[in-house]
Amino acid sequence: MKLYNKIGLFAAGALMMTSCAVNDPFADKMQIGEVVPTVSWELSSSVCKAGNEAGFLAKYYTTAEGVSIDHSEVWAMVTRTESAAATQKLISSPAYTKTVNFIDTVRGFHLLAEFPHAMAELNGNEYHLNAAFPTSRTLGPVTWQTPGTWAEDMFTAYYPATFKEEFCAQMLKYLTDGDTYLSGLRQAYLNYDFTAEQVAAVNANHADLKPLPFPAEGEVKDDLWFANDTEVVTGYYYFVVENGVSKEVEVATKEEAIQAGIKEELIYDVYKSPHWLYCRYSDNTGGAITSLRDEYRPMWKELLQLIPFEAWIYNGPEKTYSVDFTRKYALEVQFKVIDTKGGIGRDTEVKTIDLN
């Protein structure tokens, strides 16, 4: 029984010692092994103007025998965060903004400031150091937003090399890969000033198709891409199944469909529209639906590829270019205390200061 009691008392004591260690806020900041200074610190603010000093309050002490504090240090790592965006403004739909973000390390951990122990004041059983460390004026934020004049050199400096190409490719995909943004395709045709030579060159590449129009003197583009007229029937279509796939067949007259063996109630109207569009009655919707004719999709892609990036993002009413670039720097800082034997104690939490 006595042996059991001794074992029980030893276990209880060990548990109490473990519990104390877990609840000691300084124990979490100490290095395992030799006794080193115990350290904690707090920043005056997590934000600082680049070029100003950042204040802090550090608290530290040592329990090592025959050892005193020599000095303390602030170490820092410099990080940079960039956000580059551009927004489509040439047409009302689709609303499209391309954004890229970068975070990288400008400089790894390095000694930023050193403080002699004499600067600290004894407060009870620990030393308090109320001081500040410098920040660099060159780490101020950079912004480039909605300029009224285009600056290619600034864009090249701030944006990835492939940004323009990817932006324009996405706009082409929106406007020509499907029919969701047919109104946007029309707006792009109307809003951008294609030249007669540009339209002629695209038409020449597709001589087998009826050419896309270019306004003659006295004409306006609105009249060339006119609104569909569901009161005027210009043809008919019906469905056939080939190899298990339903396919539409377009004919000029209803008689052609009937001669092909199609029941009259399965013959649907095709309405008046620009020749690159296919506007017809849909039994599924009970009304007209419109799509870009497939043979004209490559033609429109070639034409839209002539619209430069700057034209896509130019905000006409505001007379600005819709770009938004920001670059910000931050310091990841750590406080260390060095004793006379070279032992290093530190606050293990790396703190962040955003520079503005």
Side-chain angles (χ1 to χ4, degrees):
M1 288 295 293
K2 290 183 180 179
L3 178 60
Y4 292 152
N5 287 339
K6 288 180 179 180
I7 293 175
L9 288 171
F10 176 81
L15 181 60
M16 290 177 64
M17 290 174 66
T18 302
S19 177
C20 290
V22 169
N23 290 284
D24 182 359
F26 287 106
D28 294 334
K29 303 178 184 296
M30 294 176 65
Q31 295 184 356
I32 297 174
E34 63 178 329
V35 178
V36 295
T38 301
V39 181
S40 67
W41 76 321
E42 293 295 334
L43 297 173
S44 299
S45 174
S46 60
V47 178
C48 180
K49 184 174 180 60
N52 289 357
E53 291 190 328
F56 66 91
L57 173 62
K59 301 177 181 180
Y60 57 85
Y61 66 89
T62 183
T63 58
E65 293 184 7
V67 176
S68 60
I69 303 298
D70 185 76
H71 69 281
S72 57
E73 301 172 347
V74 172
W75 285 66
M77 177 173 67
V78 183
T79 62
R80 176 174 59 203
T81 301
E82 293 183 352
S83 175
T87 301
Q88 183 281 121
K89 291 293 183 179
L90 179 64
I91 58 181
S92 60
S93 180
Y96 172 55
T97 298
K98 177 177 174 59
T99 302
V100 290
N101 296 292
F102 307 93
I103 300 177
D104 62 355
T105 300
V106 177
R107 187 176 180 186
F109 271 106
H110 60 283
L111 179 62
L112 188 62
E114 185 174 318
F115 306 92
H117 178 52
M119 289 182 62
E121 295 182 355
L122 184 62
N123 189 321
N125 294 322
E126 63 184 8
Y127 291 95
H128 287 190
L129 175 63
N130 199 332
F133 54 87
T135 65
S136 173
R137 189 182 310 171
T138 62
L139 299 181
V142 176
T143 60
W144 187 50
Q145 297 172 323
T146 57
T149 303
W150 184 250
E152 184 64 24
D153 57 339
M154 295 184 72
F155 181 86
T156 302
Y158 296 152
Y159 283 69
T162 59
F163 190 95
K164 285 186 178 183
E165 178 184 350
E166 292 170 356
F167 186 101
C168 293
Q170 183 59 57
M171 288 307 302
L172 261 65
K173 183 178 179 66
Y174 279 138
L175 298 181
T176 60
D177 278 10
D179 301 311
T180 303
Y181 298 109
L182 268 180
S183 61
L185 178 60
R186 180 178 185 273
Q187 275 192 305
Y189 170 71
L190 298 179
N191 292 354
Y192 183 70
D193 290 330
F194 296 102
T195 66
E197 291 75 17
Q198 287 176 322
V199 177
V202 171
N203 286 332
N205 292 335
H206 302 271
D208 56 323
L209 296 176
K210 188 175 179 179
L212 299 179
F214 185 84
E217 187 175 350
E219 289 184 320
V220 293
K221 285 184 178 179
D222 277 338
D223 295 333
L224 301 179
W225 189 323
F226 54 85
N228 301 329
D229 190 346
T230 57
E231 298 297 320
V232 179
V233 177
T234 59
Y236 302 89
Y237 78 100
Y238 58 88
F239 290 98
V240 296
V241 177
E242 295 181 356
N243 299 321
V245 178
S246 181
K247 176 183 176 183
E248 294 181 21
V249 178
E250 191 175 357
V251 293
T253 66
K254 189 175 288 188
E255 286 69 26
E256 289 181 62
I258 293 174
Q259 290 175 5
I262 306 301
K263 295 180 181 180
E264 188 168 355
E265 62 269 22
L266 298 178
I267 303 171
Y268 305 104
D269 295 337
V270 175
Y271 302 120
K272 181 181 179 181
S273 64
H275 60 268
W276 53 87
L277 298 181
Y278 182 29
C279 180
R280 71 276 193 200
Y281 174 83
S282 170
D283 204 30
N284 292 329
T285 64
I289 59 172
T290 305
S291 60
L292 183 64
R293 291 185 180 275
D294 288 339
E295 61 269 29
Y296 280 90
R297 292 185 191 277
M299 208 169 184
W300 280 104
K301 282 186 179 181
E302 286 183 31
L303 191 64
L304 293 185
Q305 283 173 343
L306 299 174
I307 301 177
F309 170 76
E310 293 82 0
W312 284 115
I313 65 168
Y314 183 67
N315 188 332
E318 306 262 337
K319 293 183 171 52
T320 58
Y321 292 90
S322 298
V323 290
D324 187 350
F325 173 83
T326 59
R327 174 184 292 157
K328 295 182 179 180
Y329 293 92
L331 296 179
E332 306 294 327
V333 288
Q334 188 175 49
F335 186 75
K336 301 179 181 181
V337 175
I338 296 86
D339 64 26
T340 52
K341 282 193 174 181
I344 302 175
R346 71 195 75 198
D347 189 313
T348 55
E349 180 185 1
V350 176
K351 302 182 186 298
T352 301
I353 295 182
D354 295 318
L355 301 177
N356 59 17

